[in-house]
Amino acid sequence: MSYLITLLKGIMIGICNVIPGVSGGTLVVIFNIYDDFMDITSLNLKKIIQNRKFTIPFILGMGLGILGFSKLITVLFEIFPTQTYYFFTGLILGSIPLLFKYVFKNNQEKDFSALKIISLILGTLAGIAIIILFTCLQKKFGTENAVSAELPPITFPLMLRIFIAGFFGAIAMIIPGISGALLMLILGVYTIILAAISALFVPETTIHAFILLLPSVLGILTGLVAGSNLLKFLLRNFPNYTYSVIFGLIIGSLYTICPGFKDINGAGCAIGCALSLLGGAALAFFSSKLGKEEANKDETNDE
């Protein structure tokens, strides 16, 4: 059963990582698998092998989410956009209690002086400010770009831009609240990558598409390793401050994702939005509790 749950988590995170404005890193935190995810992205082979019961279904799920289910979630956003956004809003709301505990998690409560508490509050506000900044960028650059079926000519400047976008997009993917796909869209390569993925399965354009995707793959791998190792360093040495910023990023995501009430048309839509919100919140809350209980069991067994 745990394999299936991990597979489903991987699928949902993979789906989110290809939707501009939706953060896959947010779901990683919501599902309480951030440490395991960081071991994978930092390419810690020893821990990856030790934790293969998580690694294999998770990577498989992410692959299925990116390649096979991204079209489905796109259709849901097209047909039921408000209900879908309310579901993601529920996921964020359901994760807040656990994240709040992480911010103030410490065996010695006396360590939390007034100055440290103020610093944690400032860290949370900084996270919220980052999300507001990215929301402004999203509104400026837009996320409605249509994907062109024609692949652009292969040039060195384009290949370099695709690599750089992949590098920074990958770092954004592992930071909760920030959309890696949105960053790639801002840098002007998102639609090119989507077109190349589709063209990869067409014999006439396979080689062209592969050459365009290669610098993106290299950039993503480099960004994942660099970004995850930096975040692991921060969580190891400054856990409360790091989680305070992450908490702010999650709170700020509500500003980005929650559609409000202006798009709710009719009683049917309102009921659908309410059920989606409650379903997302319940999924995040119980998934977080389950993940926390499993982590506590693992710590007890290790002892």
Side-chain angles (χ1 to χ4, degrees), residues 79-91 93 258-281:
I79 301 177
F80 306 107
T82 308
Q83 293 89 334
T84 304
Y85 275 115
Y86 265 104
F87 176 77
F88 282 104
T89 301
L91 286 175
L93 289 173
C258 185
F261 301 105
K262 64 182 187 308
D263 296 324
I264 297 179
N265 300 315
C269 182
I271 294 173
C273 290
L275 292 175
S276 297
L277 182 71
L278 292 174

Side-chain angles (χ1 to χ4, degrees), residues 60-117:
L60 179 61
M62 278 198 68
L64 290 174
I66 292 171
L67 297 177
F69 288 82
S70 57
K71 181 62 178 178
L72 173 61
I73 200 69
T74 302
V75 171
L76 288 176
F77 270 106
E78 291 176 353
I79 301 177
F80 306 107
T82 308
Q83 293 89 334
T84 304
Y85 275 115
Y86 265 104
F87 176 77
F88 282 104
T89 301
L91 286 175
I92 294 173
L93 289 173
S95 70
I96 288 177
L98 180 65
L99 289 171
F100 185 79
K101 290 181 181 179
Y102 276 142
V103 174
F104 293 96
K105 184 178 181 181
N106 196 300
N107 294 327
Q108 297 179 344
E109 294 183 2
K110 63 182 181 180
D111 288 346
F112 287 99
S113 61
L115 179 60
K116 186 169 184 178
I117 292 176

Side-chain angles (χ1 to χ4, degrees), residues 128-148:
I128 295 174
I130 291 172
I131 292 300
I132 293 176
L133 173 62
F134 267 78
T135 302
C136 294
L137 290 173
Q138 180 177 349
K139 291 179 180 179
K140 180 178 180 180
F141 288 91
T143 58
E144 300 82 18
N145 301 38
V147 179
S148 173

Side-chain angles (χ1 to χ4, degrees), residues 62-238:
M62 278 198 68
L64 290 174
I66 292 171
L67 297 177
F69 288 82
S70 57
K71 181 62 178 178
L72 173 61
I73 200 69
T74 302
V75 171
L76 288 176
F77 270 106
E78 291 176 353
I79 301 177
F80 306 107
T82 308
Q83 293 89 334
T84 304
Y85 275 115
Y86 265 104
F87 176 77
F88 282 104
T89 301
L91 286 175
I92 294 173
L93 289 173
S95 70
I96 288 177
L98 180 65
L99 289 171
F100 185 79
K101 290 181 181 179
Y102 276 142
V103 174
F104 293 96
K105 184 178 181 181
N106 196 300
N107 294 327
Q108 297 179 344
E109 294 183 2
K110 63 182 181 180
D111 288 346
F112 287 99
S113 61
L115 179 60
K116 186 169 184 178
I117 292 176
I118 292 174
S119 299
L120 294 176
I121 294 174
L122 291 176
T124 301
L125 293 176
I128 295 174
I130 291 172
I131 292 300
I132 293 176
L133 173 62
F134 267 78
T135 302
C136 294
L137 290 173
Q138 180 177 349
K139 291 179 180 179
K140 180 178 180 180
F141 288 91
T143 58
E144 300 82 18
N145 301 38
V147 179
S148 173
E150 296 183 2
L151 298 177
I154 297 172
T155 62
F156 178 76
L158 176 61
M159 301 284 278
L160 181 61
R161 182 154 58 97
I162 291 175
F163 174 84
I164 293 174
F167 178 82
F168 287 106
I171 294 177
M173 287 177 190
I174 59 178
I175 300 176
I178 298 180
S179 167
L182 173 59
L183 190 58
M184 295 180 75
L185 179 69
I186 292 171
L187 294 174
V189 303
Y190 177 75
T191 56
I192 296 174
I193 296 301
L194 286 187
I197 291 175
S198 299
L200 193 63
F201 302 98
V202 180
E204 294 80 3
T205 57
T206 298
I207 296 177
H208 190 168
F210 176 80
I211 295 174
L212 286 174
L213 288 173
L214 184 60
S216 178
V217 173
L218 294 175
I220 289 173
L221 290 175
T222 307
L224 285 176
V225 174
S228 60
N229 280 294
L230 174 61
L231 283 176
K232 288 183 73 173
F233 170 81
L234 293 174
L235 288 171
R236 183 170 59 249
N237 294 280
F238 313 101

